[in-house]
Amino acid sequence: VFRTNTEKKGEKERVRAALLRAALRLSALHGFASLGLREVSREAGIAPTSFYRHFADMQELGVTMSSELVGEAIAEVCAAVRAGQGPVASVLWDAMFGASLRDPELIRFFVAERSGASASLRASLQHQLARLASELTAASAAETLPAAAADSAVVLLIDVCARALDETEEQRVALRESCVWAVERLLPAPGERSSTAKSGKVTS
Amino acid sequence: VFRTNTEKKGEKERVRAALLRAALRLSALHGFASLGLREVSREAGIAPTSFYRHFADMQELGVTMSSELVGEAIAEVCAAVRAGQGPVASVLWDAMFGASLRDPELIRFFVAERSGASASLRASLQHQLARLASELTAASAAETLPAAAADSAVVLLIDVCARALDETEEQRVALRESCVWAVERLLPAPGERSSTAKSGKVTS
DNA sequence: TGTACATCAGTGAACGCGCGTTCACTGATGTAC
DNA sequence: TGTACATCAGTGAACGCGCGTTCACTGATGTAC
């Protein structure tokens, strides 16, 4: 009565993962907001009624996609930044774009639903984004940066990564350079001096 | 037979505008992808079947929202940048955030659907964004900028504008400063020197 | 070990509902002469 | 000017469809003793 173990639990876990992957695959096509419980269950190979054994509704499934699937990818990128050698911006791009290549649907989901229709999903994805941003702030010269600089850098990063997936290899190289350049501008490494005054009146 | 004029045309135009505004209002709540033809028609005060007198389907309505509603707002911001006195970044923020305050649902639509589910709508909104980006490139020191710098600046700008709408006045001031700072970093005004090398190896 | 019981993921039938779309029609407005 | 006709935005009834959700049930797995 206390524990139900091994075989039974593992099987449930596999179906749950199938639902998450099915939803990810389908939202790359139509967008998460337009997904139906029956559609996702069909794609996962179970009866519609079985959906409820795993999630209360589509909203709960969406938040789980964020906290588990996106969360794991972000954790990898954070680890790469923490451990990385050389310029932060390059390490950051390579880690994030690498993750995007391994799982293109995941970053598309991330970018699209960060501004999507579901408030709870937006909030959950914003939290994932903030995790990476605070990792970046820690890796930079914190005292000279506006609080939102790292957030801006991450917003740009994921946007460009998602767009780069649709491009040719040549274009990707150009986008990498352009994105690394922008992130370096936004996140000067420790010791680097900013050439731009913090507010207004640069030219005039 | 050749012309059908005055009263009749004006009335049709008014219903058409009501449909566009209804769709904008509703997509601020649920997201455009989840809108139905019946729902929009109801909100606009017409019978569902009358929808077809104006648009072939929801996709066509969405693209029209982009080209007409968003298009007009972007044109205003472009004009402000072209005519503006002082630092480009400040003028840009004030024009864009001013437009956002006047029509909050419009910029939310812009930001959300730029990464949304409909490919044709995405493309149309990307076009609007590019119009503003090229205006900015023209206002800056073109020869020193990566091609995508202005695009990055505009992506950041609209993202922050949309988020600022949900914040207190204090927070908005902070977001303005942070966004202006970021845009200035990405778009140095003519004559300003960049302190960051174009690729890699800043710290090592 | 063997037996009786509890758990619970998965199921198929059924429900009421809102959807997109078609159709033939109305009636006000505009045009021809 | 008056009359007959054309146009066309808006309508209500009707259709078939896929949706989310409920329900009672099955049967394999795990537990108690």
Side-chain angles (χ1 to χ4, degrees):
Chain A
V1 178
F2 288 142
R3 300 284 172 90
T4 156
N5 273 328
T6 54
E7 192 70 21
K8 222 174 175 179
K9 257 193 171 170
E11 185 58 34
K12 177 168 188 181
E13 196 48 50
R14 242 176 297 149
V15 174
R16 197 180 112 105
L19 280 169
L20 291 170
R21 295 305 309 188
L24 192 62
R25 208 173 312 129
L26 291 171
S27 48
L29 299 178
H30 316 113
F32 181 78
S34 76
L35 294 190
L37 172 160
R38 288 182 106 105
E39 185 185 9
V40 173
S41 304
R42 206 182 303 127
E43 178 83 4
I46 63 172
T49 50
S50 303
F51 180 93
Y52 296 106
R53 302 292 177 195
H54 302 274
F55 304 101
D57 49 30
M58 285 298 298
Q59 170 175 309
E60 190 177 302
L61 179 139
V63 171
T64 306
M65 288 166 76
S66 167
S67 62
E68 299 190 6
L69 303 184
V70 176
E72 192 180 354
I74 291 293
E76 281 175 28
V77 176
C78 282
V81 167
R82 197 184 292 258
Q85 304 294 321
V88 175
S90 305
V91 171
L92 179 62
W93 170 271
D94 291 338
M96 181 62 90
F97 190 62
S100 306
L101 283 174
R102 263 177 282 127
D103 197 348
E105 290 153 351
L106 188 59
I107 190 155
R108 291 199 175 104
F109 172 79
F110 191 8
V111 172
E113 302 309 326
R114 195 183 72 87
S115 315
S118 159
S120 55
L121 184 47
R122 271 203 316 271
S124 179
L125 290 168
Q126 193 62 38
H127 171 69
Q128 300 298 338
L129 188 144
R131 285 177 57 204
L132 180 52
S134 74
E135 190 72 46
L136 284 182
T137 299
S140 298
E143 74 280 2
T144 69
L145 291 179
D151 285 285
S152 296
V154 178
V155 167
L156 271 187
L157 175 74
I158 62 176
D159 191 82
V160 178
C161 274
R163 277 192 289 123
L165 289 172
D166 300 324
E167 302 288 348
T168 63
E169 183 56 34
E170 286 174 293
Q171 288 287 347
R172 287 175 179 180
V173 171
L175 284 173
R176 178 189 191 278
E177 184 176 358
S178 156
C179 184
V180 167
W181 176 85
V183 171
E184 278 172 352
R185 299 279 296 170
L186 293 174
L187 281 184
E192 188 191 355
R193 299 295 309 151
S194 163
S195 71
T196 311
K198 226 179 174 181
S199 60
K201 296 179 200 164
V202 173
T203 9
S204 84
Chain B
V1 177
F2 288 143
R3 298 283 170 92
T4 154
N5 272 329
T6 57
E7 193 69 22
K8 223 173 174 180
K9 257 194 172 169
E11 186 59 33
K12 176 167 187 181
E13 196 48 48
R14 242 177 296 150
V15 173
R16 197 180 112 106
L19 281 169
L20 292 170
R21 294 306 307 189
L24 192 62
R25 207 173 313 129
L26 292 170
S27 49
L29 299 178
H30 317 112
F32 181 79
S34 75
L35 293 190
L37 173 160
R38 289 180 103 105
E39 186 184 8
V40 173
S41 303
R42 206 182 303 127
E43 178 83 3
I46 62 171
T49 48
S50 303
F51 180 94
Y52 296 105
R53 301 290 176 197
H54 301 274
F55 304 102
D57 49 30
M58 285 298 298
Q59 171 175 307
E60 190 178 301
L61 178 139
V63 172
T64 305
M65 289 167 75
S66 168
S67 62
E68 299 190 5
L69 303 184
V70 176
E72 191 181 354
I74 290 293
E76 282 174 26
V77 176
C78 283
V81 167
R82 196 184 292 256
Q85 303 294 321
V88 174
S90 305
V91 171
L92 179 62
W93 171 271
D94 293 337
M96 181 62 89
F97 190 61
S100 305
L101 283 175
R102 262 177 282 128
D103 198 350
E105 290 152 351
L106 188 59
I107 191 158
R108 291 200 175 101
F109 172 79
F110 191 8
V111 171
E113 302 308 327
R114 195 182 72 88
S115 315
S118 158
S120 54
L121 184 47
R122 272 203 315 273
S124 179
L125 290 168
Q126 194 61 39
H127 172 69
Q128 300 297 340
L129 189 145
R131 284 177 56 204
L132 180 52
S134 75
E135 189 72 46
L136 283 181
T137 298
S140 299
E143 74 281 1
T144 69
L145 292 178
D151 286 284
S152 297
V154 178
V155 167
L156 271 187
L157 175 74
I158 62 175
D159 191 82
V160 178
C161 275
R163 278 191 288 123
L165 288 173
D166 300 323
E167 302 288 348
T168 63
E169 183 56 33
E170 287 174 293
Q171 288 286 346
R172 285 176 181 179
V173 171
L175 284 172
R176 178 189 192 277
E177 183 177 0
S178 156
C179 185
V180 167
W181 176 85
V183 171
E184 277 173 353
R185 297 280 296 171
L186 293 173
L187 279 184
E192 189 192 356
R193 298 297 308 153
S194 161
S195 72
T196 311
K198 226 180 174 179
S199 61
K201 294 178 201 166
V202 173
T203 7
S204 86

